[in-house]
Amino acid sequence: MTTTPAASPTPSSVSPFRIDIPQDQLDDLHARLADTHWPDELPDVGWTYGLPVSYLRDLAEHWRTAYVWREQEAALNQHPQFVTEIQGQRVHFLHVRSPEPDALPLLLIHGWPASFVEFLAVIGPLSDPRAHGGDPADAFHLVIPSPPGFAFSGPTRTPGEAGSERYAEVFAELMARLGYEAYGAQGGDLGSFVGPQLGRIDTDHVVGVHTNGLLTIGGWDEDTSAWDEPDQRRFARLQRFEEIGGYAAIQSTRPQTLAVGLHDSPAGLLAWIADVFHIFSNPAIERPDEAVDRDALLTNVTIYWLTRTLASSTRIYKESQQWGAPLESSGVPTGCALFPGDNTIRAIAERQNNVVHWTEHDRGGHFAAMEAPDLLVEDIRTFFRKVR
């Protein structure tokens, strides 16, 4: 399929953006890390009580003394970034156009507690496969937004702006504003809600939706008798979600209370986010900074700290209406990639989506673009060959 590119890469309502953090904010971060009041911890309990303080202190010390934000900032600014306003909300996004004229526009949608940093390793191979040993026919024009409430989109301002349904509306308008008449969507976590929702509300323009770790959260009273063994096993794990989902319970009920501490203490913010990475990254790897690149993890956390968006980013847990709700299939072709630790239930996925592609991988994890970018890239390419 040949797509119509934007008449102009930067419409008048879109402004170029460049990250430039004042030095006093970085000095404040380092001072707060140096002055952290560390709690005690019990001996020989490992990760069973949460993130071990001994591990966290080592990671925080690396953040304070060895991690260099200015190097990361310069690397991020190598990618074209823009801001625009949609429905009264500032939206920050990367817009990386492929050198291939017939490239398919593709939205990459991250979840929580990630940021656009999650996709850095896949930008080159997806936008310029020719330069990365791939087929130029697989090229994509990439649009990578920061959802309202995340990163440089800044905090949301009114209740209801942080729902996955609202994000789909905003992203559909963003793609229209950029002049893309046909496009695909890809996402995991929150993105696995927003991508299919785009298919429902912008069906005439969405050619396909690819997900990793598609969140299939149905009612707990599901009749599972006809399900196969893998679905039975995944459903059983989901029913034990309270064992690992304490963070979600707090964020869906008391997000503002939680945010006070995490906006005041960078060590607290690091602990909260790193613990979620530990829970959901490759279960065969204990340390979250070994499942994903250590500096990439810290860049992700640093962006939350510098933009003061932890509070607004967690509002999706309270404001999204799709958690556990019955969802109708849009009919748009949908691809599902599963990585170790994912609990996507195929019976529910096929009921809620037009699944035409299903792959199960043996390495990587929930943050697939960071943990196994090569596998994710090839899975995206394979799926979209079916719908271009």
Side-chain angles (χ1 to χ4, degrees):
M1 173 184 292
T2 300
T3 61
T4 303
S8 168
T10 53
S12 59
S13 57
V14 173
S15 302
F17 178 82
R18 187 173 180 82
I19 304 170
D20 185 12
I21 301 300
Q23 184 60 40
D24 61 349
Q25 291 189 32
L26 302 177
D27 295 340
D28 175 71
L29 168 61
H30 294 153
R32 287 172 181 264
L33 285 169
D35 198 35
T36 300
H37 292 188
W38 296 103
D40 70 322
E41 62 181 333
L42 296 171
D44 304 321
V45 297
W47 297 71
T48 59
Y49 279 62
L51 211 67
V53 176
S54 55
Y55 165 76
L56 183 63
R57 292 187 72 153
D58 175 69
L59 189 58
E61 184 65 8
H62 178 84
W63 193 13
R64 186 179 73 87
T65 62
Y67 171 85
V68 182
W69 165 257
R70 291 302 183 198
E71 293 179 358
Q72 303 300 318
E73 183 181 71
L76 295 175
N77 283 330
Q78 293 298 309
H79 301 291
Q81 298 173 66
F82 303 87
V83 291
T84 190
E85 185 174 301
I86 297 176
Q87 299 181 15
Q89 173 66 47
R90 172 184 165 107
V91 178
H92 161 265
F93 62 99
L94 277 61
H95 189 192
V96 182
R97 292 178 60 82
S98 172
E100 306 298 337
D102 292 336
L104 175 69
L106 179 65
L107 261 171
L108 296 179
I109 309 165
H110 69 77
W112 192 91
S115 65
F116 63 95
V117 171
E118 181 174 0
F119 294 116
L120 294 180
V122 303
I123 288 176
L126 288 177
S127 65
D128 192 5
R130 188 192 301 268
H132 292 79
D135 185 344
D138 288 326
F140 298 93
H141 298 307
L142 300 178
V143 179
I144 310 174
S146 298
F150 285 77
F152 298 101
S153 288
T156 53
R157 300 300 182 187
T158 60
E161 289 185 338
S164 53
E165 309 89 338
R166 177 67 181 277
Y167 291 161
E169 295 173 5
V170 168
F171 295 163
E173 186 167 337
L174 174 61
M175 296 304 277
R177 183 168 299 180
L178 295 175
Y180 291 131
E181 297 177 0
Y183 65 93
Q186 196 287 326
D189 194 80
L190 172 66
S192 76
F193 275 142
V194 179
Q197 183 66 8
L198 277 163
R200 297 182 187 101
I201 68 168
D202 203 20
T203 311
D204 291 342
H205 301 111
V206 177
V207 301
V209 176
H210 182 276
T211 67
N212 57 284
L214 176 65
L215 296 177
T216 47
I217 305 175
W220 299 130
D221 58 350
E222 288 271 355
D223 179 6
T224 66
S225 59
W227 291 2
D228 62 17
E229 190 276 332
D231 274 359
Q232 298 271 6
R233 185 176 64 251
R234 292 175 184 129
F235 189 67
R237 286 202 299 262
L238 282 174
Q239 290 181 304
R240 299 193 302 271
F241 186 73
E242 67 274 6
E243 297 175 9
I244 59 174
Y247 80 97
I250 294 173
Q251 292 179 176
S252 63
T253 56
R254 316 303 295 168
Q256 199 63 46
T257 305
L258 170 71
V260 175
L262 302 191
H263 275 246
D264 188 61
S265 168
L269 178 66
L270 177 62
W272 194 255
I273 292 179
D275 195 35
V276 175
F277 268 78
H278 167 252
I279 291 168
F280 291 107
S281 57
N282 190 333
I285 301 176
E286 185 174 68
R287 293 170 56 107
D289 62 327
E290 292 177 352
V292 304
D293 177 78
R294 173 178 274 202
D295 280 356
L297 173 62
L298 290 173
T299 297
N300 185 70
V301 177
T302 305
I303 287 173
Y304 275 91
W305 177 259
L306 296 174
T307 60
R308 303 292 190 263
T309 51
L310 186 281
S312 54
S313 72
T314 60
R315 291 174 191 149
I316 56 174
Y317 288 83
K318 188 169 182 64
E319 297 184 6
S320 288
Q321 302 300 310
Q322 291 185 311
W323 306 117
L327 301 173
E328 297 294 327
S329 174
S330 67
V332 171
T334 300
C336 298
L338 275 68
F339 292 84
D342 286 338
N343 289 317
T344 304
I345 297 171
R346 188 164 188 170
I348 297 179
E350 292 180 339
R351 185 172 73 211
Q352 297 178 347
N353 304 275
N354 176 23
V355 176
V356 300
H357 173 88
W358 182 275
T359 313
E360 299 185 24
H361 298 283
D362 60 4
R363 61 179 171 87
H366 185 75
F367 305 96
M370 301 176 81
E371 298 183 68
D374 58 329
L375 296 181
L376 183 64
V377 164
E378 188 54 40
D379 210 284
I380 292 171
R381 290 172 175 171
T382 300
F383 166 70
F384 278 103
R385 287 174 194 143
K386 303 174 182 180
V387 299
R388 285 177 182 263

